[in-house]
């Protein structure tokens, strides 16, 4: 089975169920926080009116930690570099967002825009280099990240709840792409 799969995907073939469960957890948590951002946008967390941003930034931080663990468990240099770059990026942005929520959307806009655009562009560039089965889910996830990043950039709804909603939707779609990838490799 591994002979016809690209070397970047060896880590997925050894533990496809782990990635599937992790992806489903990301879908659930991201969707839950996205719905909570819409239903109760003016919640006070950590003493600030920062909507659900502290919670979703902790989720981004945890996703980054898991990606770094995946990098350390990777069998190839490509798998290590891909996961370590994305993991460190998630950890740094998650850490910065957790400790910079002061109730002002303008202070986080540029950081979140850069994060969303970089994630989306990185995923789409990676698809042109790596040969993965069923790349449509990753391409859709990257495009959604780019669209949400642009919407935050142009201050379409200039508010904290939309930043939390965008990060939550991004986490949900990243989980979906992980489930689709691990399911297609499992077959």
């Amino acid at each position: 089975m591994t002979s016809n799969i690209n070397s970047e995907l060896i880590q997925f073939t050894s533990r496809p169920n782990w990635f599937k469960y992790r992806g489903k957890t990301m879908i659930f948590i991201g969707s839950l926080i996205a719905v909570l951002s819409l239903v109760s946008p003016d919640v006070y967390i950590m003493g600030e009116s920062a909507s659900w941003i502290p919670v979703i930034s902790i989720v981004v931080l945890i996703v980054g930690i898991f990606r770094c663990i995946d990098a350390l468990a990777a069998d190839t240099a490509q798998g290590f570099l891909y996961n370590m770059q994305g993991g460190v990026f998630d950890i740094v942005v998650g850490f910065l967002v957790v400790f910079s929520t002061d109730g002002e959307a303008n202070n986080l806009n540029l950081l979140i825009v850069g994060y969303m655009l970089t994630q989306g562009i990185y995923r789409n560039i990676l698809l042109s280099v790596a040969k993965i089965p069923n790349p449509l889910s990753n391409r859709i996830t990257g495009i959604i990240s780019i669209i949400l990043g642009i919407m935050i950039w142009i201050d379409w709804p200039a508010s904290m709840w939309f930043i939390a909603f965008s990060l939550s939707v991004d986490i949900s779609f990243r989980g979906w792409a992980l489930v689709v990838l691990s399911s297609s490799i499992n077959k």
Side-chain angles (χ1 to χ4, degrees), residues 107-171:
N107 295 342
L108 290 176
N109 274 359
L110 192 55
L111 176 65
I112 302 301
V113 166
Y115 174 72
M116 300 288 279
L117 290 177
T118 303
Q119 285 283 3
I121 292 168
Y122 182 64
R123 280 187 215 118
N124 284 311
I125 289 174
L126 180 70
L127 289 174
S128 64
V129 177
K131 307 226 181 325
I132 63 170
N134 203 353
L136 184 61
S137 61
N138 278 314
R139 187 154 321 270
I140 290 171
T141 302
I143 291 170
I144 288 172
S145 294
I146 291 170
I147 290 170
L148 290 172
I150 290 171
M151 289 172 69
I152 295 170
W153 190 11
I154 62 173
D155 286 333
W156 178 54
S159 62
M160 297 295 277
W161 72 266
F162 188 71
I163 293 172
F165 176 79
S166 298
L167 287 171
S168 303
V169 168
D170 183 56
I171 290 293

Side-chain angles (χ1 to χ4, degrees), residues 40-154:
S40 179
D42 296 327
V43 69
Y44 286 89
I45 297 176
M46 294 174 57
E48 299 289 338
S49 176
S51 184
W52 292 94
I53 289 180
V55 176
I56 193 62
S57 60
I58 290 171
V59 172
V60 169
L61 185 71
I62 292 169
V63 167
I65 290 169
F66 278 121
R67 285 186 75 183
C68 287
I69 291 170
D70 291 341
L72 296 174
D75 294 332
T76 64
Q78 292 90 356
F80 174 79
L81 290 174
Y82 167 70
N83 285 312
M84 190 58 76
Q85 288 172 349
V88 168
F89 189 52
D90 286 342
I91 288 171
V92 168
V93 170
F95 184 78
L96 288 173
V97 173
V98 165
F99 292 108
S100 66
T101 56
D102 59 357
E104 293 293 322
N106 293 335
N107 295 342
L108 290 176
N109 274 359
L110 192 55
L111 176 65
I112 302 301
V113 166
Y115 174 72
M116 300 288 279
L117 290 177
T118 303
Q119 285 283 3
I121 292 168
Y122 182 64
R123 280 187 215 118
N124 284 311
I125 289 174
L126 180 70
L127 289 174
S128 64
V129 177
K131 307 226 181 325
I132 63 170
N134 203 353
L136 184 61
S137 61
N138 278 314
R139 187 154 321 270
I140 290 171
T141 302
I143 291 170
I144 288 172
S145 294
I146 291 170
I147 290 170
L148 290 172
I150 290 171
M151 289 172 69
I152 295 170
W153 190 11
I154 62 173

